């Protein structure tokens, strides 16, 4: 998908240069060109470009006034002949600051900065979604004649006791008829790790480790010889 962008620049040579740069980059799509900030402001009330190339010194309304007036801001790259606005621009969370005349390689660096920002946003968004899904995940375990609901986020560790397992949370411990191997298969690998033939632990509950011991707050869990390499790789 192309990055939709607009140009707001009152000087024709500078405007034409930015337009030519945008047309040379396959990942960019020019949606509109304006010669003043007020027209740009009106456009942004009904349209949502991802990237704005914005000049500072324009008639009727300058670029900084435009940025402050926007309730919802696209990513903005300032273009100006003056360096005086750099600090103020970054305080307003602009993506980059280009000093005229803008070279093509400096222009590309700004696009690369946008791409890095967009990638980080996707990673963060995916991480937030995964965190939300995990916080709601649970399993039911048969304890005596009752099915007990346990949220995965609450599990500290699981201990194998022959054909049973003991599941420890901060508030309680429950014993159920189940194999630890089954739990190893069902629990998300990104959240839990088997550190011993008899123990599975929650990664986010680890508070420290040394030698053949991993500590979950005040609880010490042995690290089996056959599991140590996998444990060290997982936490690093």
């Amino acid at each position: 998908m192309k990055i939709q962008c607009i140009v707001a620049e009152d000087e024709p040579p500078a405007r034409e240069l930015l337009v030519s740069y945008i047309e040379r980059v396959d990942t960019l799509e020019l949606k509109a060109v304006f010669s003043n900030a007020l027209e740009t402001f009106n456009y942004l009330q009904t349209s949502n470009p991802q990237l704005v190339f914005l000049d500072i010194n324009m008639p009727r309304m300058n670029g900084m006034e435009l940025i402050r007036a926007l309730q919802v801001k696209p990513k903005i790259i300032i273009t100006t002949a003056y360096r005086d606005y750099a600090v103020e621009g970054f305080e307003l969370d602009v993506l980059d600051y280009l000093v005229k005349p803008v070279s093509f390689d400096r222009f590309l660096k700004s696009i690369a900065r946008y791409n890095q920002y967009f990638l980080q946003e996707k990673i963060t968004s995916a991480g937030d979604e995964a965190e939300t899904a995990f916080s709601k995940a649970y399993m039911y375990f048969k304890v005596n004649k009752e099915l007990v609901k346990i949220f995965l986020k609450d599990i500290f560790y699981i201990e194998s006791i022959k054909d049973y397992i003991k599941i420890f949370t901060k508030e309680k411990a429950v014993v159920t008829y189940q194999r630890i191997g089954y739990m190893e298969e069902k629990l998300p690998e990104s959240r839990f790790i088997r550190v011993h033939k008899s123990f599975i632990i929650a990664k986010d509950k680890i508070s420290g480790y040394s030698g053949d011991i991993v500590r979950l707050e005040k609880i010490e869990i042995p690290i089996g010889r056959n599991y140590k390499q996998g444990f060290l790789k997982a936490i690093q």
Side-chain angles (χ1 to χ4, degrees):
M1 180 180 290
K2 292 190 175 184
I3 302 166
Q4 297 183 353
C5 54
I6 67 171
V7 172
E9 168 64 66
D10 69 323
E11 297 178 1
R15 187 168 61 240
E16 291 168 9
L17 183 66
L18 285 172
V19 169
S20 71
Y21 285 171
I22 291 169
E23 290 174 344
R24 289 168 63 180
V25 180
D26 291 340
T27 57
L28 301 181
E29 180 181 1
L30 182 63
K31 302 299 291 184
V33 180
F34 302 99
S35 59
N36 66 74
L38 192 56
E39 288 180 352
T40 308
F41 176 82
N42 292 333
Y43 176 85
L44 292 174
Q45 302 313 295
T46 57
S47 301
N48 299 296
Q50 296 158 286
L51 189 57
V52 177
F53 293 91
L54 178 65
D55 186 21
I56 296 299
N57 294 311
M58 289 188 287
R60 301 173 67 186
M61 180 187 207
N62 69 40
M64 291 302 183
E65 291 171 334
L66 169 62
I67 294 172
R68 292 193 192 93
L70 293 173
Q71 293 295 314
V72 179
K73 296 181 177 68
K75 298 313 290 183
I76 294 172
I77 296 175
I78 289 176
T79 62
T80 181
Y82 306 95
R83 298 180 182 274
D84 302 346
Y85 295 101
V87 174
E88 186 179 0
F90 286 118
E91 286 176 351
L92 292 172
D93 196 30
V94 301
L95 181 69
D96 206 354
Y97 186 96
L98 298 179
V99 178
K100 301 174 188 176
V102 180
S103 65
F104 187 56
D105 64 324
R106 184 62 184 86
F107 174 85
L108 291 178
K109 285 182 180 179
S110 287
I111 303 306
R113 181 170 291 185
Y114 175 84
N115 289 332
Q116 185 61 37
Y117 162 82
F118 184 70
L119 176 61
Q120 189 59 47
E121 284 288 295
K122 288 179 66 176
I123 292 171
T124 301
S125 176
D128 290 343
E129 290 176 8
E131 192 67 34
T132 300
F134 179 70
S135 70
K136 296 178 180 179
Y138 59 85
M139 294 176 70
Y140 278 100
F141 299 94
K142 190 172 183 180
V143 181
N144 297 323
K145 295 183 179 181
E146 181 185 9
L147 287 173
V148 177
K149 181 180 182 179
I150 295 181
F151 284 92
L152 302 190
K153 65 181 177 62
D154 294 333
I155 297 175
F156 264 65
Y157 67 99
I158 299 171
E159 180 180 6
S160 174
I161 309 170
K162 294 186 177 179
D163 294 330
Y164 291 81
I165 57 172
K166 193 171 186 179
I167 303 167
F168 292 83
T169 68
K170 198 160 191 174
E171 292 77 24
K172 61 185 177 182
V174 300
V175 177
T176 185
Y177 181 78
Q178 191 55 267
R179 296 179 298 105
I180 194 170
Y182 172 85
M183 293 302 298
E184 185 180 12
E185 293 173 2
K186 294 299 180 182
L187 292 172
E189 186 178 329
S190 61
R191 303 284 181 166
F192 295 89
I193 182 170
R194 191 167 181 177
V195 297
H196 188 278
K197 66 178 182 179
S198 300
F199 291 97
I200 293 173
I201 64 172
K203 291 180 181 179
D204 66 343
K205 305 298 192 299
I206 296 173
S207 55
Y209 72 94
S210 61
D212 297 326
I213 295 293
V214 57
R215 188 160 40 83
L216 313 180
E217 294 188 355
K218 296 181 181 180
I219 307 298
E220 292 186 345
I221 305 291
I223 303 173
R225 182 176 61 184
N226 294 334
Y227 297 89
K228 189 168 185 178
Q229 185 174 354
F231 167 75
L232 293 174
K233 183 178 180 180
I235 65 171
Q236 292 171 0

